[in-house]
Amino acid sequence: MALAPRLDLRQSQSLVMTPQLQQAIKLLTLSNLELETFISDEIEKNPLLDTGEISTESGEAPDREILSEPGAQGSDEILSSGPSESESTLDMQGDTDSFSNNSLSESDGALDGQLGLNGASPGSTAGGEAPDFENMLVAEITLTDHLMDQAGAVLSGMDLFVAQHIIDQIDECGYLQADLLELAQRLNVGLIDIERILEVVQTLDPVGVGARDLAECLALQAKDADRYDPAMARLIDNLDLLAKGALPQLKRICGVDDEDLMDMISELRNYDPKPGCKIGGGEVQSVVPDVFIAERAGRWIIEVNSATLPKVLVNRSYYAELKDGAQDKQSKEWLNECLADANWLVKALDQRQRTIVKVATEIVKQQEEFFRKGVAHLRPLTLKNVAEKIEMHESTVSRVTSNKYLSCSRGTFELKYFFTSGIQSSTGGEAASAEAVKSHIKALIDNEDPKKILSDDKLVTLLNDKGFDIARRTVAKYREALGLGSSVQRRRQKALEGKVA
């Protein structure tokens, strides 16, 4: 066969993801707060995008769904052109008196703490004026700054210089993470001087800061409370025995009776093992829910949290002005591209809201007993089950439930929380969720008799009596996931608590 160059025509098929489809998929995975940042970036790049309030009188469907109503078009069909026939199904139907309030976020008092009073978003003011963010910025004092302010009052010169290096090596919990000999060599200072200055640092507030381990931290606090006698010193030196609950051995080592030992243990429990966390810990950031669930007149209402999202509009009047001024072909193409991108983004955002509502609606249908009765009634559920019910792809449901939270009367939960594996019923009935089984295990252990601690085998028997077909190793795995110790550990702990009490 001769080797020679030639031309061949071949026909093949391939799946190509357009930039618009990639954007739609990305929007599904973003939470409301992440989406807000994304929209801000798009508004900066596209002059035809603007923010403003959208009136429901204009025909826009609110981001709300009644559980009994049919769903909306999903993101799997986002490339279809023109308005969907099912878009109108998301409009409020039924008795309008049921929706006298503007939204769930405005009407439910339980949500006021997350959205601000009267449903206003955090940072909005009663007069409609922009918040003064400068007055809201408060410089947070770190543990290092707190310690340096105190060290500057008692030390000076070279001692203050060494103290600064020691303080820089203290972590957020208040423990010194540096080797003193290495620090002395690096600063070219004697080890005795380093230890002397460390003793000064250990006298600073909070008490116990600058310790190199837990025993030293507790010892510093005991000294400050004037409770560091020889018996307490020996108890602190043998914390491993205390963790094991070896009380008879501790009594012999400390040379005390039962009453004195229990008194020392009670004293230790009042000390802080992480004193540095008192300073500069910062406020805990609360989770902002993406979906609200509420029951009204026997029906579940699902609403997307629009308080954290700006309303995106296409500024068509500005487009008309720019179009009249555009003369060359390149400018017209750029303007048309901006218009197409703006229209697509508005449509993609609308489809995102509808898809989230549709998935959340199906979750509420599947887990209605959870919302009414609690975690013990959580059913096993998979992404595939929801995808089949709402006629979407499983990957779409996975994207919708990622990094998103649901707020209801029972608290705030990640959407992934409702998807759990199942435990077969020992009576041949419906399977139970793994989370429901964990709640039963926790309830049994919380209510166990301190004199009759339940072993894992006994827990298996009790769970079988409740209708759960579960193995011992599974019980042990769930118990450890809940942070509950074994029967031996719990027996020692309860015995210790009983004596201290």
Side-chain angles (χ1 to χ4, degrees), residues 305-319:
N305 181 10
S306 58
T308 58
L309 291 177
K311 296 293 185 180
V312 182
L313 303 174
V314 180
N315 194 335
R316 300 192 180 278
S317 60
Y318 187 51
Y319 167 74

Side-chain angles (χ1 to χ4, degrees), residues 328-496:
D328 58 291
K329 182 179 178 181
Q330 185 177 2
S331 299
K332 292 181 179 180
E333 289 180 353
W334 173 80
L335 187 60
N336 290 332
E337 183 180 349
C338 288
L339 179 62
D341 291 343
N343 286 330
W344 180 266
L345 179 60
V346 172
K347 181 180 178 181
L349 289 173
D350 179 67
Q351 291 285 25
R352 174 187 180 272
Q353 306 297 72
R354 296 174 184 277
T355 305
I356 291 176
V357 170
K358 194 171 185 179
V359 172
T361 300
E362 186 59 32
I363 290 176
V364 175
K365 285 182 180 179
Q366 298 288 341
Q367 303 289 4
E368 185 173 3
E369 291 299 309
F370 164 83
F371 293 100
R372 294 188 184 277
K373 301 179 182 179
V375 67
H377 298 271
L378 195 65
R379 296 174 52 192
L381 185 65
T382 62
L383 296 173
K384 183 178 181 181
N385 297 142
V386 174
E388 290 176 350
K389 290 290 185 179
I390 62 179
E391 298 180 351
M392 289 184 180
H393 197 273
E394 187 175 343
S395 62
T396 301
V397 179
S398 177
R399 294 186 183 100
V400 170
T401 55
S402 297
N403 304 318
K404 296 178 184 64
Y405 293 83
L406 177 151
S407 178
C408 61
S409 59
R410 297 195 173 276
T412 302
F413 302 88
E414 189 177 7
L415 287 182
K416 291 288 187 184
Y417 173 82
F418 298 98
F419 298 90
T420 60
S421 58
I423 300 296
Q424 296 298 324
S425 173
S426 59
T427 59
E430 186 178 0
S433 167
E435 291 295 330
V437 176
K438 289 180 182 179
S439 69
H440 282 282
I441 293 176
K442 187 176 186 305
L444 290 173
I445 293 179
D446 290 343
N447 298 324
E448 65 184 354
D449 188 346
K451 297 181 180 179
K452 296 181 180 179
I453 301 298
L454 301 176
S455 64
D456 288 345
D457 290 328
K458 184 61 177 178
L459 289 173
V460 170
T461 303
L462 294 176
L463 291 173
N464 286 335
D465 294 340
K466 291 178 177 288
F468 302 117
D469 185 12
I470 188 170
R472 182 184 180 278
R473 63 179 180 276
T474 306
V475 170
K477 181 179 69 173
Y478 287 173
R479 175 179 52 74
E480 292 173 357
L482 292 169
L484 301 173
S486 64
S487 57
V488 176
Q489 293 172 331
R490 300 199 308 275
R491 183 179 294 107
R492 289 175 177 172
Q493 181 181 1
K494 290 183 182 293
L496 186 59

Side-chain angles (χ1 to χ4, degrees), residues 215-243:
E216 186 176 13
C217 178
L218 297 177
L220 291 173
Q221 296 180 63
K223 292 176 182 177
D224 182 74
D226 197 20
R227 289 295 306 271
Y228 194 71
D229 51 29
M232 179 65 80
R234 286 191 287 268
L235 176 61
I236 294 176
D237 290 338
N238 293 275
L239 293 178
D240 55 335
L241 296 178
L242 180 60

Side-chain angles (χ1 to χ4, degrees), residues 212-286:
R212 285 157 285 188
D213 52 39
L214 177 61
E216 186 176 13
C217 178
L218 297 177
L220 291 173
Q221 296 180 63
K223 292 176 182 177
D224 182 74
D226 197 20
R227 289 295 306 271
Y228 194 71
D229 51 29
M232 179 65 80
R234 286 191 287 268
L235 176 61
I236 294 176
D237 290 338
N238 293 275
L239 293 178
D240 55 335
L241 296 178
L242 180 60
K244 296 178 181 179
L247 301 184
Q249 189 174 353
L250 283 174
K251 286 193 298 182
R252 292 194 300 269
I253 293 175
C254 298
V256 296
D257 54 17
D258 289 339
E259 182 178 356
D260 290 338
L261 181 62
M262 293 303 108
D263 183 57
M264 289 191 298
I265 294 175
S266 179
E267 180 73 19
L268 285 182
R269 286 189 170 183
N270 293 328
Y271 297 157
D272 189 355
K274 297 180 179 180
C277 294
K278 297 179 181 178
I279 308 297
E283 296 182 357
V284 178
Q285 297 295 327
S286 60

